[in-house]
Amino acid sequence: MYNPKSHVATEFISDDEIQETLAYAEANKENGALIDQILKKARLHKGLDHREASVLLACTLPDRNEAILGLAKGIKEAYYGSRIVMFAPLYLSNYCVNGCVYCPFHGQNKHIPRKKLTQAEIEREVIALQDMGHKRLALETGEDPINCPIDYVLDSIHTIYSIKHKNGAIRRVNVNIAATTVENYQKLHDAGIGTYILFQETYHKESYLELHPWGPKHDYDYHTESMDRAMTGGIDDVGIGVLFGLDKYRYEFAGLLMHAEHLEAAFGVGPHTISVPRIRPADDIDPETFDNGISEEIFEKIVACIRIAVPYTGMIMSTRESMATRRNVLDLGISQISGASCTSVGGYAGTDRDSLESNQFDTSDKRTLDEVVHWLMDLGYIPSFCTACYRAGRTGDRFMSLCKSGQIQNCCHPNALMTLKEYLQDYASPDTVQAGNRLIDEQINDIPNDRIREVVGKNLVAIANGSRDFRI
Ligand code: SAM
Ligand code: SF4
């Protein structure tokens, strides 16, 4: 039975409820009156439930679809302004005991070299990332209790936070590792992680069992209930996502929103982020073998409908997507993107950046961080290296309150400008410096509070003179 408050996977992600939702959405996809009613509610910026949002996703009326995209842009602008937060993944280990059929790290793949970074190698990777200008990482590992135990992940987090190279520092370490126990989540929390990220891959249980034929990840319920354990372990920023292409996108969309509603109902705080990855080619993986690939148009609509349904949840897009796709969805709801990513173990400091043999998947967007930063500014966005909320203890519902209070323009906006200034001073090319300083000069006037605007002005001068790490 469907019960969003339950901690049992098949009750908060009830297949019956999803099937009924999909039937309801299909039956109403041309129901202009109902769609207008849903859009009216969405214009309050308080979100929609999975049924309402599923009707919008299914809608086939061209004028209403235009209104959906327009509304998503409005919500994005209202809550996130033109800021885009930057991050990079860091692959620590590709040992894996699971059989995920879409991932080349699966345990039976004999032709990828297996590697786990030593702490000295992590230091080299982190220095390479700091030298690009990154301040925020997402740690990635395969699942292997022997070759990559939790203590190794904890040591690695400690190493990463301790490296201060020139003016560089990694100020927020997010973690994307396999589902684990409450006790291990507590340890991750105590190690000072930012967001715990875990993709559901697919919410469709039957497909999930086929796509994960063996290994601990085969256990759908344990995987689906991981965020409950993470929150019980004290982590209040969690990031969910599905791997689009594995199953039917409308099913995944309803499942994602039900997962968000469950976290809100059971813990009083929804997910901090939602990721929207799509399957990519990789060593022994051909995305064509998966039947459920989605078009660009559908991808854009999914991003827009997530933005409308959960206005306060950050949305992440990786370098799996091309520059063109990224440009199309940035203003529909994406708030964080990766830049200059490498998906192999040791690829930042090593030489195998583009080797498909050891990459987890082939990235589409291969530009440098400087190129991505410049490109964002040319498009009118403010690249942000801010990590202030988490460091000021504004996580979970405290972060959500900040969003809802409308104070973002006095807080996130100045932090974005100050961290961009640090980036320009320390890492940017001359062209990017010029474009960035121009942007900062314009954007400082958009800070509404006089006192904060004055403080930021002084801090920007101090940054130019060598000081670092200011935040509101
Ligand atoms: N091993 C952990 C797990 O599976 O949850 C976390 C890290 S795994 C390296 C990160 C994510 O990469 C997976 O959750 C999966 O969605 C994604 N992934 C795997 N193979 C992929 C592919 N061929 N294309 C795009 N993304 C892929
Ligand atoms: Fe292992 Fe994660 Fe890849 Fe699955 S997706 S094979 S668990 S690394």
Coordinates of all heavy atoms in Angstrom, one line a residue, residues 12-13 102 140 175-177 195-204 208 211-212 217 220 223-227 237-249 251-261 263 270-279 294 299 302-303 306 310 313-318 320 334:
F12 N 6.8 3.4 0.0 CA 7.0 4.8 -0.4 C 7.2 5.0 -1.9 O 6.9 6.0 -2.5 CB 7.9 5.6 0.5 CG 9.4 5.2 0.4 CD1 10.2 5.7 -0.6 CD2 9.9 4.4 1.4 CE1 11.6 5.3 -0.6 CE2 11.3 4.1 1.4 CZ 12.1 4.5 0.4
I13 N 7.8 3.9 -2.5 CA 7.8 3.9 -4.0 C 6.9 2.7 -4.4 O 7.3 1.6 -4.7 CB 9.2 3.6 -4.5 CG1 10.3 4.6 -4.0 CG2 9.2 3.6 -6.1 CD1 10.1 6.0 -4.5
Y102 N 25.0 -1.6 -17.1 CA 25.3 -0.4 -17.9 C 26.6 0.2 -17.5 O 27.0 1.2 -18.1 CB 24.2 0.7 -17.6 CG 23.9 0.8 -16.1 CD1 24.7 1.6 -15.3 CD2 22.9 0.0 -15.5 CE1 24.5 1.6 -13.9 CE2 22.7 0.0 -14.1 CZ 23.5 0.8 -13.3 OH 23.3 0.9 -12.0
E140 N 33.8 9.5 -6.0 CA 33.1 8.4 -6.7 C 33.9 7.1 -6.4 O 35.2 7.1 -6.6 CB 33.1 8.6 -8.2 CG 32.5 9.9 -8.7 CD 31.0 10.0 -8.6 OE1 30.3 8.9 -8.6 OE2 30.4 11.1 -8.6
V175 N 29.8 13.0 -1.5 CA 30.2 11.6 -1.6 C 29.2 10.8 -2.4 O 28.0 10.8 -2.0 CB 30.4 11.0 -0.2 CG1 30.7 9.5 -0.3 CG2 31.6 11.7 0.5
N176 N 29.6 10.1 -3.5 CA 28.7 9.2 -4.2 C 29.2 7.8 -4.1 O 30.0 7.4 -5.0 CB 28.7 9.7 -5.7 CG 27.7 8.9 -6.6 OD1 27.7 9.1 -7.8 ND2 26.9 8.1 -6.0
I177 N 28.9 7.1 -3.0 CA 29.3 5.7 -2.9 C 28.1 4.8 -2.6 O 27.0 5.3 -2.3 CB 30.4 5.5 -1.7 CG1 29.7 5.9 -0.4 CG2 31.6 6.4 -2.0 CD1 30.6 5.5 0.8
T195 N 27.1 16.7 0.6 CA 25.9 15.9 0.3 C 26.3 14.4 0.1 O 27.3 14.1 -0.5 CB 25.3 16.4 -1.1 OG1 25.2 17.8 -1.0 CG2 23.9 15.8 -1.3
Y196 N 25.4 13.5 0.6 CA 25.5 12.1 0.2 C 24.7 11.9 -1.0 O 23.5 12.1 -1.0 CB 25.1 11.2 1.4 CG 25.1 9.8 0.9 CD1 26.3 9.1 0.5 CD2 23.9 9.1 0.7 CE1 26.2 7.8 0.0 CE2 23.8 7.8 0.2 CZ 25.0 7.2 -0.1 OH 25.0 5.9 -0.6
I197 N 25.3 11.5 -2.1 CA 24.6 11.3 -3.4 C 24.5 9.8 -3.7 O 25.5 9.0 -3.6 CB 25.4 12.0 -4.5 CG1 25.5 13.5 -4.2 CG2 24.7 11.7 -5.9 CD1 26.5 14.2 -5.1
L198 N 23.3 9.3 -4.0 CA 23.2 8.0 -4.5 C 22.1 7.9 -5.6 O 21.0 8.4 -5.3 CB 22.9 7.0 -3.4 CG 22.8 5.5 -3.8 CD1 24.2 5.0 -4.2 CD2 22.1 4.7 -2.7
F199 N 22.4 7.4 -6.8 CA 21.4 7.4 -7.8 C 20.6 6.1 -7.6 O 21.2 5.0 -7.4 CB 22.0 7.4 -9.2 CG 22.8 8.6 -9.5 CD1 23.8 8.6 -10.5 CD2 22.5 9.8 -8.8 CE1 24.5 9.8 -10.7 CE2 23.3 11.0 -9.0 CZ 24.3 10.9 -10.0
Q200 N 19.3 6.2 -7.8 CA 18.4 5.0 -7.7 C 18.6 4.1 -8.9 O 18.4 3.0 -8.9 CB 17.0 5.4 -7.6 CG 16.0 4.3 -7.5 CD 16.2 3.4 -6.3 OE1 16.6 3.8 -5.3 NE2 15.8 2.1 -6.5
E201 N 19.2 4.7 -10.0 CA 19.3 4.1 -11.3 C 17.9 3.9 -12.0 O 17.6 4.5 -12.9 CB 20.1 2.8 -11.3 CG 21.3 2.7 -10.3 CD 22.4 3.7 -10.7 OE1 22.2 4.5 -11.6 OE2 23.5 3.7 -10.0
T202 N 17.1 3.0 -11.4 CA 15.7 2.9 -11.8 C 14.8 2.6 -10.6 O 15.2 1.8 -9.8 CB 15.5 1.9 -12.9 OG1 14.0 1.8 -13.2 CG2 16.0 0.5 -12.6
Y203 N 13.7 3.2 -10.6 CA 12.7 3.0 -9.5 C 11.9 1.7 -9.8 O 11.2 1.2 -9.0 CB 11.8 4.2 -9.3 CG 12.5 5.3 -8.6 CD1 13.1 6.3 -9.2 CD2 12.7 5.2 -7.2 CE1 13.8 7.3 -8.5 CE2 13.3 6.2 -6.5 CZ 13.9 7.2 -7.2 OH 14.6 8.2 -6.5
H204 N 11.9 1.2 -11.1 CA 11.1 0.1 -11.5 C 11.8 -1.2 -10.9 O 12.8 -1.6 -11.5 CB 11.0 0.0 -13.0 CG 10.0 -0.9 -13.5 ND1 10.2 -2.3 -13.6 CD2 8.7 -0.7 -13.9 CE1 9.1 -2.9 -14.0 NE2 8.2 -2.0 -14.2
Y208 N 15.1 -3.1 -12.2 CA 16.2 -2.9 -11.3 C 16.9 -4.3 -11.1 O 18.1 -4.4 -11.2 CB 15.8 -2.3 -10.0 CG 16.9 -2.0 -9.1 CD1 17.5 -0.8 -9.0 CD2 17.5 -3.0 -8.3 CE1 18.6 -0.5 -8.1 CE2 18.5 -2.8 -7.4 CZ 19.1 -1.5 -7.4 OH 20.2 -1.3 -6.5
L211 N 18.7 -5.4 -14.2 CA 19.9 -4.5 -14.5 C 21.0 -4.6 -13.5 O 22.2 -4.3 -13.7 CB 19.5 -3.0 -14.5 CG 18.5 -2.7 -15.7 CD1 17.8 -1.4 -15.4 CD2 19.3 -2.5 -17.0
H212 N 20.7 -5.2 -12.3 CA 21.7 -5.4 -11.2 C 21.6 -6.9 -10.8 O 21.1 -7.2 -9.8 CB 21.4 -4.5 -10.0 CG 21.3 -3.0 -10.4 ND1 20.1 -2.4 -10.7 CD2 22.3 -2.1 -10.6 CE1 20.3 -1.2 -11.1 NE2 21.6 -0.9 -11.0
K217 N 24.3 -4.7 -4.6 CA 23.4 -3.7 -5.2 C 22.1 -4.3 -5.8 O 21.1 -3.6 -6.1 CB 24.1 -2.9 -6.3 CG 23.4 -1.6 -6.7 CD 24.4 -0.7 -7.5 CE 23.6 0.5 -8.2 NZ 24.6 1.3 -9.0
Y220 N 17.1 -4.4 -4.1 CA 16.4 -3.1 -4.5 C 16.0 -2.4 -3.2 O 16.1 -1.2 -3.1 CB 15.2 -3.5 -5.3 CG 14.2 -2.3 -5.6 CD1 14.4 -1.5 -6.7 CD2 13.2 -2.1 -4.7 CE1 13.5 -0.5 -7.0 CE2 12.3 -1.0 -5.0 CZ 12.5 -0.2 -6.1 OH 11.6 0.8 -6.4
H223 N 18.8 -0.7 -1.4 CA 19.3 0.4 -2.1 C 18.3 1.6 -2.0 O 18.7 2.8 -1.8 CB 19.5 0.0 -3.6 CG 20.1 1.1 -4.5 ND1 21.5 1.2 -4.5 CD2 19.7 2.0 -5.3 CE1 21.8 2.2 -5.3 NE2 20.7 2.7 -5.9
T224 N 17.0 1.3 -2.2 CA 16.0 2.4 -2.2 C 15.9 3.0 -0.8 O 15.5 4.2 -0.7 CB 14.7 1.8 -2.7 OG1 14.9 1.0 -3.9 CG2 13.6 2.8 -2.9
E225 N 16.1 2.2 0.2 CA 16.0 2.8 1.6 C 17.3 3.5 2.1 O 17.3 3.9 3.2 CB 15.6 1.7 2.6 CG 14.2 1.2 2.3 CD 13.9 -0.2 2.8 OE1 14.8 -0.8 3.6 OE2 12.8 -0.8 2.5
S226 N 18.3 3.6 1.2 CA 19.6 4.1 1.7 C 19.5 5.5 2.2 O 20.1 5.9 3.2 CB 20.6 4.1 0.5 OG 20.1 4.8 -0.5
M227 N 18.6 6.4 1.6 CA 18.6 7.8 2.0 C 17.9 7.9 3.4 O 18.3 8.8 4.2 CB 17.8 8.7 1.0 CG 18.5 8.8 -0.3 SD 20.3 9.2 -0.1 CE 20.8 9.5 -1.8
D237 N 21.8 16.5 4.1 CA 21.8 16.9 2.6 C 22.0 15.6 1.8 O 23.1 15.0 1.8 CB 22.9 17.8 2.3 CG 22.6 19.3 2.7 OD1 21.4 19.5 3.1 OD2 23.5 20.1 2.6
V238 N 20.9 15.1 1.2 CA 21.1 13.9 0.4 C 20.7 14.3 -1.1 O 19.9 15.1 -1.3 CB 20.3 12.7 0.9 CG1 20.7 12.3 2.3 CG2 18.8 13.0 0.8
G239 N 21.4 13.6 -2.0 CA 21.1 13.8 -3.4 C 20.6 12.6 -4.1 O 21.3 11.5 -4.0
I240 N 19.5 12.7 -4.8 CA 18.9 11.5 -5.5 C 19.0 11.7 -7.0 O 19.3 12.8 -7.5 CB 17.4 11.3 -5.0 CG1 16.5 12.4 -5.4 CG2 17.4 11.0 -3.5 CD1 15.0 12.2 -5.1
G241 N 18.7 10.6 -7.7 CA 18.7 10.7 -9.2 C 18.4 9.4 -9.8 O 18.4 8.4 -9.1
V242 N 18.1 9.4 -11.1 CA 18.0 8.1 -11.8 C 18.9 8.2 -13.0 O 19.3 9.3 -13.5 CB 16.5 7.8 -12.3 CG1 15.6 7.6 -11.2 CG2 16.0 8.9 -13.2
L243 N 19.2 7.0 -13.6 CA 20.0 7.0 -14.8 C 19.0 6.9 -16.0 O 18.5 5.8 -16.2 CB 21.0 5.8 -14.8 CG 22.0 5.7 -15.9 CD1 22.8 7.0 -16.0 CD2 23.0 4.6 -15.6
F244 N 18.7 8.0 -16.6 CA 17.7 8.0 -17.7 C 18.2 7.2 -18.9 O 19.4 7.3 -19.3 CB 17.4 9.4 -18.1 CG 16.5 10.1 -17.1 CD1 17.0 11.1 -16.2 CD2 15.1 9.8 -17.0 CE1 16.1 11.7 -15.3 CE2 14.3 10.4 -16.1 CZ 14.8 11.3 -15.2
G245 N 17.3 6.4 -19.4 CA 17.6 5.4 -20.5 C 17.4 4.0 -20.0 O 17.3 3.1 -20.9
L246 N 17.4 3.7 -18.7 CA 17.3 2.4 -18.3 C 15.9 1.9 -18.4 O 15.6 0.8 -18.8 CB 17.8 2.2 -16.8 CG 19.3 2.5 -16.6 CD1 19.6 2.3 -15.1 CD2 20.2 1.6 -17.4
D247 N 14.9 2.7 -17.9 CA 13.5 2.3 -17.9 C 12.7 3.5 -18.5 O 13.3 4.5 -18.9 CB 13.0 1.9 -16.6 CG 11.9 0.9 -16.7 OD1 10.8 1.3 -17.2 OD2 12.1 -0.3 -16.4
K248 N 11.4 3.4 -18.5 CA 10.5 4.4 -19.1 C 10.6 5.7 -18.3 O 10.5 5.7 -17.0 CB 9.1 4.0 -19.1 CG 8.9 2.7 -19.8 CD 8.6 2.9 -21.3 CE 8.2 1.6 -22.0 NZ 9.3 0.6 -22.0
Y249 N 10.9 6.8 -19.0 CA 11.2 8.1 -18.2 C 10.0 8.6 -17.4 O 10.2 9.2 -16.3 CB 11.6 9.2 -19.2 CG 10.6 9.7 -20.1 CD1 9.8 10.8 -19.7 CD2 10.3 9.2 -21.4 CE1 8.8 11.3 -20.6 CE2 9.4 9.7 -22.2 CZ 8.6 10.8 -21.8 OH 7.6 11.3 -22.6
Y251 N 7.9 6.8 -15.7 CA 7.9 6.0 -14.5 C 9.0 6.5 -13.5 O 8.8 6.8 -12.4 CB 8.2 4.5 -14.8 CG 8.0 3.5 -13.7 CD1 6.8 2.8 -13.7 CD2 8.9 3.4 -12.7 CE1 6.5 1.9 -12.6 CE2 8.6 2.5 -11.6 CZ 7.5 1.8 -11.6 OH 7.2 0.9 -10.6
E252 N 10.2 6.8 -14.1 CA 11.3 7.3 -13.3 C 11.0 8.6 -12.7 O 11.3 8.9 -11.5 CB 12.6 7.4 -14.1 CG 13.0 6.2 -14.9 CD 13.4 5.0 -14.0 OE1 13.0 5.0 -12.8 OE2 14.0 4.1 -14.5
F253 N 10.4 9.5 -13.5 CA 10.0 10.8 -13.0 C 9.1 10.8 -11.8 O 9.3 11.4 -10.8 CB 9.4 11.6 -14.2 CG 8.9 13.0 -13.9 CD1 9.8 14.0 -13.9 CD2 7.6 13.2 -13.6 CE1 9.3 15.3 -13.6 CE2 7.1 14.5 -13.3 CZ 8.0 15.5 -13.3
A254 N 8.0 9.9 -12.0 CA 7.1 9.8 -10.8 C 7.8 9.2 -9.6 O 7.6 9.7 -8.5 CB 5.9 8.9 -11.2
G255 N 8.7 8.2 -9.8 CA 9.4 7.6 -8.7 C 10.3 8.6 -8.0 O 10.4 8.7 -6.8
L256 N 11.0 9.4 -8.8 CA 11.9 10.5 -8.2 C 11.1 11.4 -7.3 O 11.5 11.7 -6.2 CB 12.5 11.3 -9.4 CG 13.9 11.2 -9.8 CD1 14.2 12.1 -11.0 CD2 14.9 11.4 -8.7
L257 N 10.0 11.9 -7.8 CA 9.2 12.8 -7.0 C 8.6 12.2 -5.8 O 8.5 12.8 -4.7 CB 8.1 13.5 -7.9 CG 8.6 14.4 -9.0 CD1 7.5 15.1 -9.7 CD2 9.6 15.4 -8.5
M258 N 8.2 10.9 -5.9 CA 7.7 10.2 -4.8 C 8.8 10.0 -3.7 O 8.6 10.0 -2.5 CB 7.1 8.8 -5.2 CG 5.7 9.0 -5.8 SD 5.2 7.6 -6.7 CE 4.9 6.4 -5.5
H259 N 10.0 9.8 -4.2 CA 11.1 9.7 -3.3 C 11.4 11.0 -2.5 O 11.5 11.0 -1.3 CB 12.4 9.3 -4.0 CG 13.5 8.6 -3.2 ND1 14.6 8.1 -3.7 CD2 13.6 8.5 -1.8 CE1 15.3 7.6 -2.7 NE2 14.8 7.8 -1.6
A260 N 11.3 12.1 -3.3 CA 11.4 13.4 -2.6 C 10.3 13.6 -1.6 O 10.5 14.1 -0.5 CB 11.4 14.5 -3.7
E261 N 9.1 13.3 -2.0 CA 7.9 13.5 -1.1 C 8.1 12.6 0.1 O 7.8 13.0 1.3 CB 6.6 13.1 -1.8 CG 6.2 14.1 -2.9 CD 5.2 13.6 -3.8 OE1 4.5 12.5 -3.6 OE2 5.0 14.2 -4.9
L263 N 10.9 11.7 1.6 CA 11.9 12.3 2.5 C 11.4 13.4 3.3 O 11.6 13.6 4.5 CB 13.2 12.7 1.7 CG 14.0 11.5 1.1 CD1 15.1 12.0 0.2 CD2 14.5 10.5 2.2
G270 N 13.3 17.6 2.2 CA 13.4 16.9 0.9 C 14.8 16.7 0.5 O 15.8 17.2 1.2
P271 N 15.1 16.2 -0.7 CA 16.5 16.0 -1.2 C 17.1 17.4 -1.4 O 16.4 18.3 -1.8 CB 16.3 15.2 -2.5 CG 14.9 15.4 -2.9 CD 14.1 15.7 -1.7
H272 N 18.4 17.5 -1.2 CA 19.2 18.7 -1.4 C 19.4 18.9 -2.9 O 19.3 20.0 -3.4 CB 20.5 18.6 -0.7 CG 21.3 19.9 -0.7 ND1 20.9 21.0 -0.1 CD2 22.5 20.2 -1.3 CE1 21.8 21.9 -0.3 NE2 22.8 21.5 -1.0
T273 N 19.6 17.8 -3.6 CA 19.8 17.8 -5.1 C 19.1 16.7 -5.8 O 18.9 15.6 -5.2 CB 21.3 17.8 -5.5 OG1 21.9 16.6 -4.9 CG2 22.0 19.0 -5.0
I274 N 18.8 16.9 -7.0 CA 18.4 15.8 -7.9 C 19.3 15.8 -9.1 O 19.6 16.9 -9.7 CB 16.9 16.0 -8.4 CG1 16.0 15.9 -7.2 CG2 16.5 15.1 -9.5 CD1 14.5 16.0 -7.5
S275 N 19.8 14.7 -9.5 CA 20.7 14.6 -10.7 C 19.9 14.0 -11.8 O 19.1 13.1 -11.6 CB 21.9 13.7 -10.4 OG 22.7 14.3 -9.4
V276 N 20.3 14.4 -13.0 CA 19.6 13.9 -14.2 C 20.6 13.2 -15.2 O 20.6 13.6 -16.4 CB 18.7 15.0 -14.9 CG1 17.6 15.3 -14.0 CG2 19.6 16.2 -15.1
P277 N 21.3 12.2 -14.8 CA 22.3 11.6 -15.8 C 21.6 10.8 -16.8 O 20.5 10.2 -16.6 CB 23.1 10.7 -14.9 CG 22.2 10.3 -13.7 CD 21.4 11.5 -13.5
R278 N 22.2 10.7 -18.0 CA 21.7 9.8 -19.0 C 22.9 8.8 -19.4 O 24.0 9.2 -19.3 CB 21.4 10.6 -20.3 CG 20.1 11.4 -20.2 CD 19.6 11.8 -21.5 NE 20.3 13.0 -22.1 CZ 19.9 13.6 -23.2 NH1 18.9 13.2 -23.9 NH2 20.6 14.7 -23.6
I279 N 22.5 7.6 -19.8 CA 23.6 6.6 -20.1 C 24.5 7.1 -21.2 O 24.1 7.6 -22.2 CB 22.9 5.3 -20.6 CG1 22.0 4.7 -19.5 CG2 24.0 4.2 -20.9 CD1 21.3 3.4 -20.0
I294 N 16.2 8.9 -24.1 CA 15.2 10.0 -24.3 C 15.8 11.0 -25.2 O 17.0 11.3 -25.2 CB 14.8 10.6 -22.9 CG1 16.1 10.9 -22.1 CG2 13.9 9.7 -22.2 CD1 15.7 11.6 -20.8
F299 N 14.2 15.4 -22.5 CA 15.2 15.7 -21.5 C 14.9 17.1 -20.9 O 14.8 17.3 -19.7 CB 16.6 15.6 -22.0 CG 17.7 15.8 -21.0 CD1 17.8 14.9 -19.9 CD2 18.6 16.8 -21.1 CE1 18.7 15.0 -18.9 CE2 19.6 16.9 -20.1 CZ 19.7 16.1 -19.0
I302 N 11.8 17.1 -18.9 CA 12.0 16.5 -17.5 C 12.6 17.5 -16.6 O 12.1 17.7 -15.5 CB 12.9 15.2 -17.7 CG1 12.1 14.1 -18.4 CG2 13.3 14.8 -16.3 CD1 12.9 12.9 -18.7
V303 N 13.6 18.2 -17.1 CA 14.3 19.2 -16.2 C 13.3 20.3 -15.8 O 13.2 20.6 -14.6 CB 15.5 19.8 -17.0 CG1 16.1 21.0 -16.2 CG2 16.6 18.8 -17.1
I306 N 10.8 18.9 -13.2 CA 11.4 18.7 -11.9 C 11.5 20.1 -11.2 O 11.2 20.3 -10.0 CB 12.8 18.0 -12.0 CG1 12.6 16.6 -12.5 CG2 13.4 18.1 -10.6 CD1 14.0 15.9 -12.7
V310 N 9.7 20.7 -7.6 CA 10.5 20.9 -6.3 C 11.4 22.1 -6.5 O 12.6 22.0 -6.7 CB 11.3 19.6 -6.0 CG1 10.5 18.6 -5.4 CG2 12.0 19.0 -7.2
T313 N 14.9 22.4 -4.6 CA 15.9 21.4 -4.7 C 16.9 21.7 -5.9 O 16.5 22.0 -7.0 CB 15.2 20.0 -5.0 OG1 14.3 19.8 -3.9 CG2 16.2 18.9 -5.1
G314 N 18.2 21.7 -5.5 CA 19.2 22.0 -6.6 C 19.1 20.9 -7.6 O 18.7 19.7 -7.3
M315 N 19.6 21.2 -8.8 CA 19.5 20.2 -9.9 C 20.9 20.1 -10.6 O 21.5 21.2 -10.9 CB 18.4 20.5 -10.9 CG 17.6 19.3 -11.3 SD 16.6 19.5 -12.7 CE 15.5 20.7 -12.1
I316 N 21.4 18.9 -10.7 CA 22.8 18.7 -11.2 C 22.9 18.1 -12.5 O 22.2 17.1 -12.8 CB 23.6 17.8 -10.2 CG1 23.6 18.4 -8.8 CG2 25.0 17.5 -10.7 CD1 24.3 17.5 -7.7
M317 N 23.7 18.6 -13.4 CA 24.0 18.0 -14.7 C 25.5 17.9 -14.9 O 26.2 18.8 -14.6 CB 23.4 18.9 -15.8 CG 23.6 18.4 -17.2 SD 22.8 19.5 -18.4 CE 23.3 21.1 -18.0
S318 N 25.9 16.7 -15.4 CA 27.3 16.4 -15.5 C 27.8 16.6 -16.9 O 27.1 17.0 -17.8 CB 27.6 15.0 -15.0 OG 27.1 14.1 -16.0
R320 N 28.4 14.4 -18.8 CA 27.8 13.3 -19.7 C 27.1 14.1 -20.8 O 26.9 13.5 -21.9 CB 26.7 12.5 -18.9 CG 27.3 11.5 -17.9 CD 26.2 10.8 -17.2 NE 26.6 9.9 -16.1 CZ 26.8 10.3 -14.9 NH1 26.7 11.6 -14.5 NH2 27.1 9.4 -14.0
I334 N 18.7 23.8 -14.1 CA 19.9 23.3 -13.5 C 20.6 24.3 -12.7 O 20.8 25.5 -13.1 CB 20.9 22.9 -14.7 CG1 20.2 21.8 -15.6 CG2 22.2 22.4 -14.2 CD1 19.9 20.5 -14.9

